[in-house]
Protein backbone atom coordinates (compact mmCIF):
# COMPACT_ATOMS: atom_id res chain seq x y z
CA UNK A 1 0.00 0.00 0.00
CA UNK A 2 1.35 3.42 -0.99
CA UNK A 3 0.69 6.40 1.29
CA UNK A 4 0.98 9.92 -0.10
CA UNK A 5 2.65 12.49 2.14
CA UNK A 6 2.36 15.50 -0.14
CA UNK A 7 0.65 18.62 1.22
CA UNK A 8 -2.09 20.33 -0.77
CA UNK A 9 -1.03 23.76 0.32
CA UNK A 10 -4.18 24.48 2.37
CA UNK A 11 -4.08 24.31 6.13
CA UNK A 12 -6.27 21.60 7.59
CA UNK A 13 -9.85 22.58 8.49
CA UNK A 14 -9.90 25.61 6.17
CA UNK A 15 -10.54 23.92 2.89
CA UNK A 16 -12.57 25.91 0.37
CA UNK A 17 -15.64 24.24 -1.09
CA UNK A 18 -15.13 23.03 -4.61
CA UNK A 19 -17.39 24.84 -7.09
CA UNK A 20 -18.42 22.69 -9.97
CA UNK A 21 -19.69 23.97 -13.26
CA UNK A 22 -23.46 23.55 -13.79
CA UNK A 23 -22.91 20.82 -16.35
CA UNK A 24 -21.25 18.56 -13.78
CA UNK A 25 -24.10 18.57 -11.25
CA UNK A 26 -25.18 15.00 -10.65
CA UNK A 27 -28.85 14.36 -11.51
CA UNK A 28 -30.89 13.39 -8.47
CA UNK A 29 -28.72 15.32 -6.02
CA UNK A 30 -29.86 18.23 -3.88
CA UNK A 31 -27.85 20.63 -6.01
CA UNK A 32 -29.59 19.32 -9.12
CA UNK A 33 -33.06 20.06 -7.74
CA UNK A 34 -32.02 23.41 -6.23
CA UNK A 35 -30.63 24.96 -9.41
CA UNK A 36 -32.46 28.04 -10.62
CA UNK A 37 -34.04 28.62 -7.23
CA UNK A 38 -32.81 32.19 -6.87
CA UNK A 39 -33.47 33.30 -10.45
CA UNK A 40 -36.52 35.53 -11.02
CA UNK A 41 -38.90 34.53 -13.81
CA UNK A 42 -38.64 36.42 -17.07
CA UNK A 43 -41.51 38.40 -18.59
CA UNK A 44 -42.42 35.55 -20.97
CA UNK A 45 -42.14 32.77 -18.41
CA UNK A 46 -45.34 31.13 -17.22
CA UNK A 47 -45.93 31.18 -13.49
CA UNK A 48 -47.81 28.32 -11.89
CA UNK A 49 -50.07 29.35 -9.06
CA UNK A 50 -50.14 27.47 -5.76
CA UNK A 51 -50.50 23.72 -5.91
CA UNK A 52 -53.92 22.46 -6.88
CA UNK A 53 -55.94 21.44 -3.87
CA UNK A 54 -56.42 17.73 -3.78
CA UNK A 55 -60.03 16.70 -4.09
CA UNK A 56 -61.27 14.52 -1.25
CA UNK A 57 -62.69 11.16 -2.17
CA UNK A 58 -66.26 10.35 -1.27
CA UNK A 59 -66.77 7.85 1.54
CA UNK A 60 -67.88 5.11 -0.82
CA UNK A 61 -64.76 5.68 -2.95
CA UNK A 62 -62.59 5.36 0.14
CA UNK A 63 -64.30 2.07 0.99
CA UNK A 64 -63.75 0.81 -2.56
CA UNK A 65 -60.11 1.86 -2.36
CA UNK A 66 -59.75 -0.17 0.85
CA UNK A 67 -61.59 -3.17 -0.70
CA UNK A 68 -64.47 -2.80 1.77
CA UNK A 69 -67.12 -3.54 -0.81
CA UNK A 70 -70.17 -4.09 1.41
CA UNK A 71 -69.46 -0.85 3.27
CA UNK A 72 -69.09 1.00 -0.05
CA UNK A 73 -72.50 -0.19 -1.23
CA UNK A 74 -74.15 0.61 2.09
CA UNK A 75 -72.53 4.05 2.17
CA UNK A 76 -73.61 5.01 -1.36
CA UNK A 77 -77.17 3.88 -0.63
CA UNK A 78 -77.31 5.74 2.71
CA UNK A 79 -76.06 9.03 1.30
CA UNK A 80 -78.96 9.07 -1.16
CA UNK A 81 -76.73 9.66 -4.16
CA UNK A 82 -78.32 9.94 -7.56
CA UNK A 83 -78.95 6.72 -9.45
CA UNK A 84 -75.93 7.13 -11.73
CA UNK A 85 -73.53 7.09 -8.78
CA UNK A 86 -75.16 4.04 -7.20
CA UNK A 87 -75.17 2.18 -10.51
CA UNK A 88 -71.52 3.07 -11.11
CA UNK A 89 -70.62 1.57 -7.71
CA UNK A 90 -72.63 -1.54 -8.63
CA UNK A 91 -70.80 -1.76 -11.97
CA UNK A 92 -67.48 -1.45 -10.18
CA UNK A 93 -68.47 -4.28 -7.85
CA UNK A 94 -69.37 -6.43 -10.86
CA UNK A 95 -66.07 -5.52 -12.50
CA UNK A 96 -64.19 -6.57 -9.36
CA UNK A 97 -66.26 -9.79 -9.25
CA UNK A 98 -67.46 -8.97 -5.74
CA UNK A 99 -71.21 -8.56 -6.23
CA UNK A 100 -72.31 -11.97 -4.94
CA UNK A 101 -70.17 -11.67 -1.80
CA UNK A 102 -71.40 -8.11 -1.18
CA UNK A 103 -75.06 -9.09 -1.43
CA UNK A 104 -74.83 -12.32 0.55
CA UNK A 105 -75.21 -12.50 4.31
CA UNK A 106 -77.30 -9.36 4.69
CA UNK A 107 -79.97 -8.86 7.31
CA UNK A 108 -83.29 -7.09 6.96
CA UNK A 109 -81.87 -3.64 7.70
CA UNK A 110 -79.07 -3.84 5.13
CA UNK A 111 -81.20 -5.55 2.48
CA UNK A 112 -84.04 -3.01 2.58
CA UNK A 113 -82.13 -0.07 0.97
CA UNK A 114 -80.94 -2.26 -1.90
CA UNK A 115 -84.41 -3.59 -2.62
CA UNK A 116 -85.94 -0.12 -2.35
CA UNK A 117 -83.41 1.24 -4.85
CA UNK A 118 -84.12 -1.65 -7.23
CA UNK A 119 -87.89 -1.13 -7.01
CA UNK A 120 -87.46 2.53 -7.83
CA UNK A 121 -84.90 2.28 -10.66
CA UNK A 122 -85.01 -1.21 -12.20
CA UNK A 123 -87.15 -0.06 -15.14
CA UNK A 124 -84.91 2.89 -16.02
CA UNK A 125 -83.48 2.09 -19.48
CA UNK A 126 -80.09 3.62 -18.62
CA UNK A 127 -79.57 1.29 -15.67
CA UNK A 128 -81.76 -1.75 -16.31
CA UNK A 129 -78.99 -4.10 -17.47
CA UNK A 130 -76.97 -3.72 -14.27
CA UNK A 131 -80.00 -3.62 -11.98
CA UNK A 132 -81.59 -6.71 -13.52
CA UNK A 133 -78.33 -8.59 -12.89
CA UNK A 134 -78.39 -7.43 -9.26
CA UNK A 135 -82.03 -8.55 -9.02
CA UNK A 136 -81.10 -12.00 -10.33
CA UNK A 137 -78.37 -12.38 -7.73
CA UNK A 138 -80.69 -11.23 -4.93
CA UNK A 139 -83.37 -13.66 -6.07
CA UNK A 140 -80.84 -16.51 -6.09
CA UNK A 141 -79.47 -15.64 -2.67
CA UNK A 142 -82.68 -14.85 -0.78
CA UNK A 143 -85.41 -16.93 -2.43
CA UNK A 144 -85.04 -19.60 0.27
CA UNK A 145 -85.74 -17.16 3.12
CA UNK A 146 -88.81 -15.46 1.67
CA UNK A 147 -91.63 -15.48 4.18
CA UNK A 148 -89.47 -14.78 7.23
CA UNK A 149 -89.66 -10.99 7.10
CA UNK A 150 -92.86 -9.20 6.05
CA UNK A 151 -90.99 -6.01 5.10
CA UNK A 152 -88.56 -7.83 2.81
CA UNK A 153 -91.37 -9.94 1.36
CA UNK A 154 -93.30 -6.77 0.54
CA UNK A 155 -90.27 -5.26 -1.22
CA UNK A 156 -89.69 -8.43 -3.24
CA UNK A 157 -93.39 -8.43 -4.19
CA UNK A 158 -93.21 -4.78 -5.29
CA UNK A 159 -90.10 -5.59 -7.32
CA UNK A 160 -91.86 -8.57 -8.95
CA UNK A 161 -94.89 -6.44 -9.85
CA UNK A 162 -92.69 -3.68 -11.24
CA UNK A 163 -90.82 -6.16 -13.43
CA UNK A 164 -94.06 -7.76 -14.64
CA UNK A 165 -95.42 -4.32 -15.55
CA UNK A 166 -92.23 -3.54 -17.48
CA UNK A 167 -92.44 -6.86 -19.33
CA UNK A 168 -96.05 -6.12 -20.36
CA UNK A 169 -95.06 -2.65 -21.59
CA UNK A 170 -92.14 -4.09 -23.60
CA UNK A 171 -94.44 -6.69 -25.15
CA UNK A 172 -96.85 -3.94 -26.19
CA UNK A 173 -93.98 -1.98 -27.71
CA UNK A 174 -92.88 -5.03 -29.67
CA UNK A 175 -96.43 -5.58 -30.97
CA UNK A 176 -96.66 -1.94 -31.97
CA UNK A 177 -93.29 -2.10 -33.71
CA UNK A 178 -94.39 -5.22 -35.62
CA UNK A 179 -97.63 -3.54 -36.71
CA UNK A 180 -95.73 -0.46 -37.88
CA UNK A 181 -93.32 -2.59 -39.90
CA UNK A 182 -96.28 -4.31 -41.61
CA UNK A 183 -97.80 -0.94 -42.49
CA UNK A 184 -94.49 0.44 -43.81
CA UNK A 185 -93.87 -2.72 -45.84
CA UNK A 186 -97.35 -2.63 -47.35
CA UNK A 187 -97.01 1.03 -48.30
CA UNK A 188 -93.45 0.59 -49.62
CA UNK A 189 -91.94 3.21 -47.28
CA UNK A 190 -89.39 0.93 -45.68
Amino acid sequence: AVVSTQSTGCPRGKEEPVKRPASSIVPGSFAYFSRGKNIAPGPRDGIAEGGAKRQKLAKYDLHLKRFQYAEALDCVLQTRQNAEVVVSVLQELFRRDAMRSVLSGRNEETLRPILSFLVKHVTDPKHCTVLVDVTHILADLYSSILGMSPAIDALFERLRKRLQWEIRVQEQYMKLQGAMECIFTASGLE
Side-chain angles (χ1 to χ4, degrees):
V2 178
V3 178
S4 174
T5 58
Q6 287 184 347
S7 174
T8 59
C10 294
R12 286 192 178 260
K14 294 186 178 179
E15 297 175 4
E16 294 182 22
V18 179
K19 292 190 177 183
R20 298 181 194 155
S23 62
S24 69
I25 295 176
V26 179
S29 67
F30 179 75
Y32 181 81
F33 289 107
S34 297
R35 60 200 163 116
K37 194 181 216 182
N38 299 325
I39 298 173
R44 296 185 349 193
D45 291 339
I47 300 173
E49 295 300 321
K53 195 170 186 179
R54 206 169 148 181
Q55 188 176 8
K56 287 179 72 173
L57 290 176
K59 284 187 177 183
Y60 56 88
D61 281 332
L62 288 174
H63 287 299
L64 284 173
K65 187 177 177 182
R66 295 177 187 144
F67 304 102
Q68 299 168 342
Y69 300 135
E71 290 85 357
L73 182 59
D74 292 339
C75 185
V76 77
L77 288 169
Q78 286 173 357
T79 56
R80 305 241 184 236
Q81 292 287 336
N82 59 9
E84 286 81 15
V85 175
V86 176
V87 171
S88 67
V89 169
L90 291 171
Q91 285 175 330
E92 182 64 21
L93 292 173
F94 272 119
R95 191 184 70 74
R96 295 183 185 198
D97 201 24
M99 185 57 75
R100 187 169 285 278
S101 64
V102 166
L103 295 176
S104 63
R106 291 186 168 265
N107 59 17
E108 182 178 342
E109 290 179 14
T110 57
L111 195 56
R112 188 178 300 138
I114 298 169
L115 286 171
S116 298
F117 181 80
L118 287 174
V119 167
K120 188 174 182 181
H121 297 284
V122 75
T123 57
D124 187 354
K126 294 183 288 188
H127 313 304
C128 69
T129 54
V130 175
L131 297 181
V132 167
D133 291 340
V134 172
T135 303
H136 282 292
I137 293 172
L138 282 174
D140 288 343
L141 291 173
Y142 295 103
S143 62
S144 61
I145 63 164
L146 285 176
M148 294 184 181
S149 169
I152 298 299
D153 292 346
L155 285 170
F156 268 112
E157 183 62 26
R158 284 179 53 203
L159 183 59
R160 184 186 66 79
K161 286 181 181 179
R162 185 79 183 239
L163 289 172
Q164 282 181 338
W165 176 81
E166 183 66 21
I167 290 170
R168 279 195 305 273
V169 168
Q170 292 295 328
E171 286 173 348
Q172 290 173 353
Y173 287 148
M174 294 301 287
K175 288 178 185 177
L176 179 63
Q177 183 179 4
M180 289 174 62
E181 284 179 10
C182 287
I183 293 170
F184 289 147
T185 303
S187 66
L189 293 176
E190 192 178 305

